[in-house]
Amino acid sequence: MFTRRLTMVAVLSAALLSGCGSDSPASTAPASALAMCQGVGTAFVAKVSACGMVGLPLSILEALLALELDCQSFQEAQAAGRVAFDPATAKACLDTINGSTCSALFTESGFLPAPCFNAVAPRVAAGGACYNRLGIECVAGFCDFTATTACTTGGTCVTSATLGQNCTSPMRCAPGLICGATNFCETRPTTIILAAGGNCGALYTACADGLFCDSSVTPRLCAARKIVGAACTSSNNCAASLRCDPVTSLCATQARVGEACVPARLACAGEAYCSAANTCVASPGLGEVCTPVAGEMVFCQDSWCLPSTPSAVTRRCAPYAAPGAACSTSNQLQCGFGYNCNAVGAGPAGTCGRAYCGAP
């Protein structure tokens, strides 16, 4: 099941516990497995933002999660009959994410709510071919891409190890289990939600909403998130909607589009950047200028920023190269998130292909 291997979710969730409500609007039923996968990314990132993850454009966070989910292969799996997609369950998945508190959503170290993996029911038995690295197609296991030809031919569904069986990585254990220090599958402990003052240095502990794990003390303890002007080491220390200014190391508000800002200080909220006029402006789209401003990175929306050349110093957002199209291995961004410009041995060299092993 794909929820066992959302390592990007795990990395994000480890630092994102903060106060947030559950007043998000109900979602609509996704029309396809692809739409469901993309919706999970959008809903999760929106919750991440509300729970205190600031400092990066939301479009970049969405793209990173889409890369980890490998959304490109969801529709192919549905079309080929390797999964059975249920729109109603997919809607329940999105509603659960939208309505969750931060501590409820971010304490399972990479596990999403049950409806999310039930919405894409696997149909490939052990030994069958699979193409999604997260294992959404495999009935009782994971997709093994260890073969040297896996990047061009796909992987093989392998049955997960059960309680007490040998394992070499977390993804080899069945849901609800972990690969222990002695390389045997063990029951995963329940995460303990801690109040202020709780020792959060131990595994499977997390601070309650409105708190963060303070690493400046020994042992690490849960403490209230900080207000504007308080010292911080990361945005995770600050209250929701605030950021940790990288220059002053103080919690500060995020400016909205049209408001004043200072470049290179992660000052603008959402999909925006600080312009040369010291004003937050919306991130550029296709064909628009994306030249960096005084150390401020400018991210394109649904496109990539062409490198400058002697004849074209001004950089502009360009369409992603299509899967299978020619590309340069010196610039991976041109293929879009989830795709690489393949090097020798990982598919046709110099063409856009999956960043992870799987069908082209």
Side-chain angles (χ1 to χ4, degrees), residues 102-130:
C102 301
S103 57
L105 185 62
F106 297 139
T107 55
E108 290 303 311
S109 298
F111 285 72
L112 287 177
C116 295
F117 56 85
N118 292 336
V120 189
R123 286 183 167 179
V124 180
C130 49

Side-chain angles (χ1 to χ4, degrees), residues 100-325:
S100 178
T101 62
C102 301
S103 57
L105 185 62
F106 297 139
T107 55
E108 290 303 311
S109 298
F111 285 72
L112 287 177
C116 295
F117 56 85
N118 292 336
V120 189
R123 286 183 167 179
V124 180
C130 49
Y131 301 90
N132 178 280
R133 67 175 294 274
L134 301 171
I136 63 168
E137 302 143 304
C138 301
V139 172
F142 60 96
C143 195
D144 184 6
F145 284 108
T146 57
T148 57
T149 58
C151 285
T152 53
T153 62
T156 303
C157 284
V158 177
T159 301
S160 294
T162 59
L163 184 65
Q165 290 186 329
N166 186 263
C167 58
T168 56
S169 70
M171 61 191 300
R172 293 186 179 271
C173 294
L177 303 178
I178 59 171
C179 190
T182 57
N183 288 335
F184 287 93
C185 293
E186 304 172 357
T187 301
R188 185 184 187 280
T190 300
T191 300
I192 301 173
I193 307 300
L194 302 171
N199 184 344
C200 51
L203 290 174
Y204 304 109
T205 61
C207 298
D209 287 2
L211 307 176
F212 76 102
C213 190
D214 188 356
S215 60
S216 67
V217 296
T218 304
R220 291 183 288 176
L221 302 175
C222 292
R225 287 183 177 264
K226 301 181 178 183
I227 62 174
V228 172
C232 57
T233 55
S234 74
S235 293
N236 180 53
N237 302 167
C238 304
S241 80
L242 301 183
R243 63 187 174 89
C244 188
D245 189 301
V247 175
T248 65
S249 294
L250 300 176
C251 291
T253 57
Q254 281 197 298
R256 303 290 175 179
V257 171
E259 296 179 347
C261 60
V262 178
R265 292 175 66 169
L266 307 176
C268 300
E271 296 183 13
Y273 72 98
C274 192
S275 70
N278 290 350
T279 303
C280 289
V281 298
S283 297
L286 192 62
E288 296 180 331
V289 174
C290 56
T291 305
V293 177
E296 177 93 356
M297 292 299 297
V298 179
F299 295 98
C300 296
Q301 297 191 52
D302 301 318
S303 52
W304 74 292
C305 192
L306 281 171
S308 59
T309 65
S311 60
V313 177
T314 299
R315 303 176 62 177
R316 293 186 180 276
C317 299
Y320 291 126

